[in-house]
């Protein structure tokens, strides 16, 4: 029901790209997202960072900027005392990149533990022949380089989701290669299944990517989400 409301709301807008709403959609489907807030003022950014334990991640929020880090729109590991300056920097970089960009604000987000975790991708799109497809692969900066991904037609069962992990070349990375602690594989499997349910339930969702879904030994977190709706 909540997911339906979120999608209804987006229909009234002049864009078919979802950013923040996509995060709400995932929450409605029980997929963990990091704690955070979207703010349009420097003071609010400082307050938001105080509510979050430790350093934060700050990101520009704009429907005109799809690859945020390409334009310097993502700062990770920001300590509280640098939040105000970072807010100004992010806005300035976005303006510099595209002077007339619509800037919705800055997202202040809890840090995921990338040292203990691995960046993966879970995505969905619609194939004219096969219908809704779910993609799983290695995420982050390696995604284009390694092209390590696998696909299934939604909805995906639990054994199928586990098979998807088996199939990628980097599976050992998730399962504890070189003395690393294995990540929460059940969390990854559940996320694949929930996403496949979401795309099955809502034909209006044309495309959705979680990149990255950070998988750590303690759980998973969808830290960046992009979606296109009909
Ligand atoms: P974009 O893909 O638009 O450049 P992301 O939100 O994916 O923006 O951020 C880029 C990278 O920054 C991620 O792939 C990840 O390495 C890092 N990152 C982003 N958010 C977090 C977070 N909450 N915790 C830790 N690392 C993060
Ligand atoms: Mg990303």
């Amino acid at each position: 029901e909540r997911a339906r409301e979120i999608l209804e709301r987006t229909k009234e807008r002049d864009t078919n790209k979802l950013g923040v709403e996509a995060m709400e959609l995932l929450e409605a489907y029980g997929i963990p997202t990091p704690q955070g807030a979207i703010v349009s003022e420097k003071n609010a950014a400082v307050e938001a960072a105080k509510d979050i334990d430790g350093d934060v991640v700050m990101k520009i929020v704009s429907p005109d900027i799809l690859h945020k880090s390409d334009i310097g729109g993502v700062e990770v590991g920001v300590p509280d005392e640098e939040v105000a300056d970072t807010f100004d920097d992010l806005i300035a970089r976005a303006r510099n990149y595209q002077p007339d960009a619509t800037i919705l604000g800055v997202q202040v987000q809890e840090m995921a533990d990338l040292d203990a975790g691995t960046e993966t991708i879970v995505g969905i799109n619609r194939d004219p022949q096969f219908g809704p497809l779910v993609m799983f692969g290695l995420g982050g900066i390696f995604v284009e380089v390694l092209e390590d991904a696998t696909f299934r037609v939604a909805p995906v069962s639990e054994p199928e989701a586990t098979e998807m992990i088996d199939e990628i070349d980097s599976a050992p990375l998730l399962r504890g290669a070189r003395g690393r602690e294995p990540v929460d594989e059940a969390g990854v499997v559940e996320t694949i299944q929930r996403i496949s349910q979401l795309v099955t339930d809502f034909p209006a969702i044309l495309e959705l990517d979680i990149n990255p879904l950070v998988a750590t030994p303690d759980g998973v977190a969808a830290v960046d989400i992009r979606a296109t709706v009909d």
Side-chain angles (χ1 to χ4, degrees):
E1 266 320 293
R2 241 195 89 214
R4 196 171 302 280
E5 274 168 40
I6 296 163
L7 283 168
E8 282 299 323
R9 226 195 303 146
T10 63
K11 278 198 190 140
E12 290 147 27
R13 294 209 327 232
D14 59 352
T15 172
N16 61 348
K17 304 267 180 237
L18 307 193
V20 178
E21 296 93 346
M23 202 152 251
E24 294 178 43
L25 268 185
L26 294 201
E27 282 163 12
Y29 268 69
I31 296 169
T33 60
Q35 188 193 340
I38 292 171
V39 297
S40 51
E41 258 192 284
K42 193 156 43 174
N43 290 341
V46 173
E47 287 308 311
K50 278 189 196 149
D51 288 341
I52 295 170
D53 280 343
D55 294 350
V56 296
V57 181
M58 294 175 70
K59 310 180 189 184
I60 198 77
V61 181
S62 163
D64 300 317
I65 300 168
L66 291 183
H67 299 283
K68 299 177 287 294
S69 33
D70 288 356
I71 65 129
V74 178
E75 285 289 343
V76 300
V78 182
D80 281 359
E81 61 273 19
E82 282 171 22
V83 168
D85 285 347
T86 304
F87 181 95
D88 290 337
D89 290 346
L90 290 173
I91 303 279
R93 286 175 203 153
R95 285 263 166 263
N96 186 42
Y97 164 73
Q98 189 182 324
D100 63 349
T102 302
I103 296 174
L104 299 177
V106 167
Q107 184 171 31
V108 181
Q109 199 177 61
E110 182 186 2
M111 289 274 290
D113 185 1
L114 285 182
D115 290 335
T118 303
E119 295 190 52
T120 66
I121 299 190
V122 182
I124 51 190
N125 63 57
R126 290 179 189 277
D127 183 274
Q129 202 178 344
F130 299 106
L133 287 183
V134 180
M135 184 263 263
F136 174 72
L138 200 67
I141 52 172
F142 301 121
V143 61
E144 281 95 12
V145 190
L146 298 179
E147 291 183 2
D148 189 13
T150 181
F151 296 83
R152 284 291 183 289
V153 176
V156 176
S157 68
E158 188 179 326
E160 279 178 313
T162 305
E163 262 173 39
M164 290 177 84
I165 302 176
D166 294 338
E167 275 171 20
I168 65 168
D169 296 332
S170 351
L173 222 66
L174 297 170
R175 289 173 168 161
R178 295 187 175 252
R180 281 164 62 93
E181 207 182 324
V183 306
D184 172 22
E185 189 167 323
V188 175
V189 166
E190 206 163 295
T191 303
I192 293 171
Q193 284 187 269
R194 285 173 190 246
I195 278 291
S196 87
Q197 196 57 52
L198 176 67
V199 70
T200 307
D201 293 345
F202 293 100
I205 301 175
L206 302 179
E207 249 178 14
L208 187 150
D209 279 299
I210 309 176
N211 181 17
L213 176 80
V214 177
T216 71
D218 299 326
V220 297
V223 310
D224 183 33
I225 303 133
R226 216 184 321 276
T228 308
V229 292
D230 191 1

